[in-house]
Amino acid sequence: AQSVTQPDIHITVSEGASLELRCNYSYGATPYLFWYVQSPGQGLQLLLKYFSGDTLVQGIKGFEAEFKRSQSSFNLRKPSVHWSDAAEYFCAVGAGGATNKLIFGTGTLLAVQP
Amino acid sequence: DADVTQTPRNRITKTGKRIMLECSQTKGHDRMYWYRQDPGLGLRLIYYSFDVKDINKGEISDGYSVSRQAQAKFSLSLESAIPNQTALYFCATSDGLAGASGANVLTFGAGSRLTVL
C-alpha cells in the first residue's frame, strides 16, 4: 500500500535561510509525487509534481524537489526563504492511472523568523 | 469566481443533526473528491467519484455519504453528526482523461470548517 511520511512536524527557519522539507514514500512502482502548500485559511495549492523524467523538478515560488528512488524520498527545497513562505506543506503520492488517488503525508508546518 | 467552490465555509452544529457540505466546480473535471483534514493527521480521503455514476469509498467513509448530482456538483452529508467529525473538509477535482498525467493533479476548494458540539 502507498504511504507517505513527513518526519518533521514543525520547522522554523530564519528569513533568507535555505530550507529542506523531508518526504519519504512507500510504493512498489514509480510513483507520482507532489508537494502542496496550504497558507492559513486557504485550500491547498500545488507547488510541484514529479511524474517521470528529470528527477529534479522546479515548481512555483522558487521551490524545487528531487526524486531519489534509492532513498524513496522527494524532499522539497528552497535556497532562500521569504516570510510569505510560512505555511503548512504536504507531500503526496499517487498511483496514477485508473486508481488516481492521492495519499497525503501529515504535513510540515513552516514558521519563518524575521 | 473560484474553480472549486465549497459551501458553507464555516458551520457549527449540534450532535445528531444532519449536515450537508456542497461542492461545485467550473473546471469541467470528471473526478471529484472529499477529504478531511485534522491537525497532525494530514488529509484523509472520505469519498471519491470518477463520474456521475461512479462513487467510491475512501479510507474513512463511515458516518458519511455523498451524492454526485451532476458532473459539476458533489455533496458530502453527515446523517447524524458527532463531535469527532469536527474537522476541515476539502473538496477537490482532477482531470479524468485516461492516461493523462494531469489526472493526478488535484484542484482544491478553500475548505469547509465544521464544528460539531
Side-chain angles (χ1 to χ4, degrees):
Chain A
Q2 301 160 249
S3 67
V4 179
T5 302
Q6 293 181 247
D8 304 306
I9 297 172
H10 189 205
I11 285 181
T12 300
V13 299
S14 298
E15 190 168 17
S18 63
L19 172 70
E20 182 168 27
L21 302 183
R22 296 183 291 166
C23 173
N24 294 97
Y25 68 89
S26 174
Y27 184 62
T30 299
Y32 291 2
L33 294 162
F34 305 81
W35 276 99
Y36 282 84
V37 60
Q38 183 182 24
S39 298
Q42 303 295 316
L44 279 75
Q45 180 184 21
L46 180 69
L47 278 178
L48 48 78
K49 61 185 183 292
Y50 171 78
F51 287 164
S52 64
D54 193 344
T55 56
L56 183 64
V57 294
Q58 302 297 321
I60 62 171
K61 305 184 180 186
F63 286 92
E64 66 178 26
E66 185 172 12
F67 170 56
K68 292 186 177 180
R69 185 189 302 275
S70 62
Q71 299 177 18
S72 297
S73 69
F74 189 58
N75 293 349
L76 182 71
R77 300 192 296 248
K78 187 170 184 178
S80 178
V81 169
H82 187 263
W83 63 266
S84 61
D85 293 324
E88 191 158 20
Y89 292 80
F90 293 93
C91 182
V93 60
T99 56
N100 191 34
K101 292 182 291 180
L102 289 193
I103 304 298
F104 285 83
T106 53
T108 298
L109 185 62
L110 174 65
V112 180
Q113 288 182 334
Chain B
D1 288 344
D3 292 327
V4 182
T5 302
Q6 293 183 231
T7 56
R9 292 292 313 279
N10 287 282
R11 181 74 182 269
I12 300 173
T13 191
K14 295 181 179 180
T15 297
K17 294 292 187 181
R18 183 178 187 274
I19 295 296
M20 178 180 286
L21 305 180
E22 298 185 338
C23 177
S24 63
Q25 52 117 344
T26 58
K27 299 284 288 184
H29 288 166
D30 288 325
R31 302 182 176 193
M32 299 187 73
Y33 309 79
W34 276 104
Y35 282 89
R36 168 179 172 160
Q37 183 181 22
D38 298 277
L41 297 179
L43 279 79
R44 293 178 292 167
L45 184 61
I46 306 172
Y47 270 97
Y48 59 103
S49 169
F50 284 178
D51 65 39
V52 175
K53 297 181 181 179
D54 179 77
I55 302 289
N56 303 279
K57 292 183 177 180
E59 56 182 311
I60 55 163
S61 59
D62 287 349
Y64 301 95
S65 62
V66 291
S67 172
R68 184 81 183 265
Q69 301 95 323
Q71 187 208 34
K73 297 184 181 295
F74 191 38
S75 300
L76 176 71
S77 293
L78 289 68
E79 296 301 324
S80 180
I82 56 177
N84 75 3
Q85 291 178 313
T86 293
L88 183 57
Y89 291 86
F90 284 105
C91 176
T93 73
S94 71
D95 188 338
L97 293 176
S101 61
N104 270 253
V105 177
L106 301 183
T107 300
F108 283 86
S112 295
R113 185 167 295 282
L114 176 65
T115 302
V116 184
L117 301 176

